[in-house]
Amino acid sequence: MPISHFTLLITSVLLLVSCSEEPTSVSSTLIINAIIFDGTGADGYDGSVRIDGDRIVAVGDIATLNGETIIDATGLALAPGFIDTHSHHDSNMDEYRHMPGVLSQGVTTIVRGADGFSGTDDEFGFIPQSEFNRTFAATPAAVNVASYSPHNSIRYRIMGTDSRREATADEVAAMAALVEADMQDGAVGLATGLEYEPGIFSTTEEIIELAKVAANYGGGYMSHVRDEDDRFMDAVDEVIRIGREAGLPVHISHIKLADRAFWGTTDSVIEVLNNARASGVDITADIYPYQRWASNLAILFPSRNFSDRDVAEFTFAHTANPDDIILSHFAPNPEFDGLSIADVARITERDPATTLMELTQAADDYLRETGRGGASIIAKGMDESDVVALMRWEFTNFCSDGSHGGGHPRGYGAFPRVLGHYVRELKVLSWPEAIHKMTGRSADAMGFRDRGRLKAGNYADLVLFDPDTIIDNATMDNSTALSTGVHSVWVNGVLAFENGAPTKRFSGRVITRSNR
Ligand SMILES: [Zn+2]
């Protein structure tokens, strides 16, 4: 090496060393004395984390720098910000940019496209990724948002109201073009909701064609599967087939056993999933920590024949009792809001099956007239030991499936409920395991590379919480009560939540394939 180059090299090394020891100006924040859970599943340890700009710059045993902001986190746990892989918090984002329910759970990233929908008030509406990017750039939210291209919204866009049938080859090609545009604009994959319209009328081949487009761009596939009741295993087989034939990672949204006849069979479900993985299909799942699910009335009638009494009777025998299906919102007659099917049957002096059929038909008529969802229901349909067994599967991560403004308490409580109830109280998961399933595991399932783990170079999405007190407070009666125990939340290095409230600093970003 010529001497001049050697000198130059030495000089720059010295410069680097002196920069890190004696900075001229300090913009960093050092969080000290925290119990660090790094998101990998490793045990917690006492240490410090330095953030500077939008990044984590150091983790571990770190000396303080003159002039940097110090936060003493004695007694508190510090983890990567939680990632909610199935969220409906992208709807009403203009009203809820500050994300109170999301940040108060310690969540710093939400994933759009849940159930194959764009997240608009108009059930038939489609927001292309390019439009979402523009809107978010103009009015960013307080948390990061990644998007999956939404199959149901795209199918409505192409087929309109004539969507209760198989698509033609031309229509599939037109859908593929919209998926491709979304992928080019940064979507991280394709999402379906095959228990909902119009996806329920699609063939598996249609989905494979569209999933191949996502695969070409390195995206994944996630799905609210075609059936969560008596044909759940067929639906799982369909996801596995899509993963195999389209050649991409596949993710089952909010995995559950919601048919009483299948309660207690999680071992065989997990065996099928593990066999698929062993055969080369990268299949994963997410779950929310409740025995109650929330959806709409129509899904109870897979054929969409709302006058099929056998289906109504099947629902009560297999899915939930008339007392356990609550109308959380019934637009055609708001007086029924909060009542069960059994309550409405008593009031209207009809039997429960007739009541269910009539309410579902009324909700469908309302949807077709207004374009707005007519009936939200919450039903108690899962067995606690199944919920626990599915959340403990190695490749399950947590989600909320929640919304702003109430309904199911999961929108404000899911993540603290896991930590407070399932970890601290029931001890069915360890702290590092549960946190891994909110961070590193979730990032891996979504293909995020620079988030979900506490390490130098990653984005500074962080949650500081009290492991002794963290708990959900949202209930069926008060579904928007904020959780307790989340002390501070940073999103891309910016303090987004402290003293029990959002700071209304909107540092969230669109996570795209190139920056994930
Ligand atoms: Zn869903």
Side-chain angles (χ1 to χ4, degrees):
M1 180 184 289
I3 191 76
S4 57
H5 286 195
F6 183 72
T7 315
L8 197 65
L9 184 67
I10 291 290
T11 313
S12 44
V13 168
L14 285 173
L15 265 174
L16 273 172
V17 169
S18 65
C19 271
S20 66
E21 284 181 349
E22 295 278 331
T24 46
S25 72
V26 174
S27 57
S28 56
T29 296
L30 188 67
I31 305 164
I32 61 169
N33 299 324
I35 309 159
I36 295 177
F37 291 97
D38 65 7
T40 64
D43 284 344
Y45 62 94
D46 293 338
S48 306
V49 170
R50 173 174 293 132
I51 60 181
D52 198 357
D54 62 0
R55 302 280 179 159
I56 297 165
V57 293
V59 178
D61 188 6
I62 311 167
T64 57
L65 297 176
N66 284 334
E68 74 181 335
T69 304
I70 308 284
I71 295 173
D72 185 353
T74 300
L76 301 176
L78 184 62
F82 303 146
I83 296 168
D84 189 348
T85 56
H86 192 91
S87 165
H88 298 280
H89 293 104
D90 60 316
S91 49
N92 308 329
M93 241 172 44
D94 44 350
E95 188 183 347
Y96 288 97
R97 286 174 68 202
H98 57 306
M99 299 274 160
V102 178
L103 286 167
S104 61
Q105 297 189 57
V107 171
T108 55
T109 295
I110 63 172
V111 178
R112 288 177 68 234
D115 304 328
F117 288 101
S118 287
T120 60
D121 277 353
D122 173 6
E123 184 112 350
F124 306 118
F126 166 53
I127 304 173
Q129 181 73 33
S130 59
E131 184 184 329
F132 179 78
N133 293 346
R134 271 196 308 278
T135 308
F136 196 95
T139 50
V143 299
N144 303 308
V145 184
S147 307
Y148 279 66
S149 187
H151 173 244
N152 279 325
S153 303
I154 283 176
R155 201 172 198 269
Y156 272 138
R157 169 60 60 93
I158 298 301
M159 298 176 70
T161 52
D162 180 27
S163 59
R164 287 181 161 172
R165 59 173 175 82
E166 286 186 17
T168 65
D170 284 351
E171 287 165 339
V172 174
M175 287 185 242
L178 293 181
V179 174
E180 178 147 33
D182 274 358
M183 293 305 296
Q184 286 173 345
D185 290 325
V188 299
L190 172 72
T192 64
L194 300 181
E195 208 171 20
Y196 294 107
E197 289 194 41
I200 196 168
F201 296 101
S202 64
T203 61
T204 306
E205 290 74 19
E206 171 183 328
I207 308 301
I208 290 170
E209 281 308 301
L210 303 179
K212 281 179 178 169
V213 176
N216 285 342
Y217 287 86
Y221 173 75
M222 71 172 184
S223 183
H224 173 139
V225 299
R226 206 175 280 271
D227 193 292
E228 296 188 326
D229 305 299
D230 56 324
R231 290 171 299 154
F232 175 62
M233 290 316 297
D234 294 343
V236 170
D237 287 343
E238 183 183 33
V239 176
I240 293 168
R241 182 185 160 199
I242 291 163
R244 197 182 311 282
E245 295 190 20
L248 79 179
V250 292
H251 187 74
I252 297 175
S253 297
H254 46 55
I255 192 166
K256 62 174 73 76
L257 293 181
D259 184 321
R260 275 177 231 155
F262 291 90
W263 284 5
T265 65
T266 45
D267 283 354
S268 55
V269 175
I270 288 170
E271 192 184 340
V272 168
L273 298 174
N274 283 336
N275 288 343
R277 291 189 63 85
S279 75
V281 175
D282 180 359
I283 189 165
T284 54
D286 55 41
I287 192 168
Y288 51 77
Y290 297 88
Q291 287 173 262
R292 287 186 169 83
W293 51 260
S295 189
N296 63 38
L297 277 170
I299 60 136
L300 298 173
F301 295 82
S303 68
R304 297 302 188 264
N305 174 3
F306 305 129
S307 55
D308 189 335
R309 181 169 292 273
D310 289 345
V311 173
E313 299 286 3
F314 178 94
T315 294
F316 300 142
H318 285 253
T319 309
N321 300 321
D323 282 309
D324 283 333
I325 304 174
I326 309 294
L327 294 165
S328 50
H329 173 61
F330 189 71
N333 184 355
E335 285 180 19
F336 292 163
D337 284 7
L339 300 184
S340 68
I341 300 299
D343 292 335
V344 176
R346 273 189 292 274
I347 291 168
T348 59
E349 299 183 331
R350 284 160 163 75
D351 65 276
T354 304
T355 305
L356 183 63
M357 293 186 287
E358 290 182 355
L359 291 172
T360 309
Q361 186 62 57
D364 193 58
D365 293 343
Y366 182 89
L367 171 64
R368 277 165 214 283
E369 280 161 25
T370 64
R372 301 172 80 93
S376 309
I377 55 171
I378 299 179
K380 188 165 186 179
M382 282 88 87
D383 179 64
E384 179 70 352
S385 58
D386 291 338
V387 173
V388 168
L390 290 171
M391 67 170 66
R392 294 176 77 169
W393 183 48
E394 184 181 352
F395 296 97
T396 305
N397 66 263
F398 289 105
C399 69
S400 75
D401 200 2
S403 314
H404 301 293
H408 193 297
R410 62 197 183 188
Y412 286 69
F415 289 78
R417 178 171 170 78
V418 170
L419 296 173
H421 183 58
Y422 287 96
V423 176
R424 188 179 61 239
E425 292 172 2
L426 299 183
K427 298 182 170 56
V428 297
L429 290 169
S430 70
W431 288 99
E433 195 179 6
I435 291 166
H436 175 58
K437 287 169 174 287
M438 300 176 172
T439 56
R441 173 95 290 287
S442 324
D444 291 350
M446 300 291 104
F448 303 160
R449 289 177 292 264
D450 294 344
R451 302 182 194 270
R453 288 181 173 81
L454 269 185
K455 68 174 189 189
N458 274 8
Y459 288 101
D461 294 341
L462 300 167
V463 54
L464 189 60
F465 66 91
D466 186 342
D468 293 334
T469 62
I470 191 164
I471 195 72
D472 59 312
N473 297 312
T475 61
M476 288 286 287
D477 292 334
N478 185 6
S479 60
T480 60
L482 296 186
S483 296
T484 304
V486 169
H487 186 281
S488 311
V489 181
W490 289 262
V491 176
N492 298 307
V494 175
L495 192 59
F497 182 90
E498 68 172 339
N499 300 323
T503 61
K504 301 197 175 181
R505 296 171 71 189
F506 303 103
S507 61
R509 298 189 187 162
V510 176
I511 298 177
T512 63
R513 281 180 304 104
S514 56
N515 75 2
R516 67 184 174 177

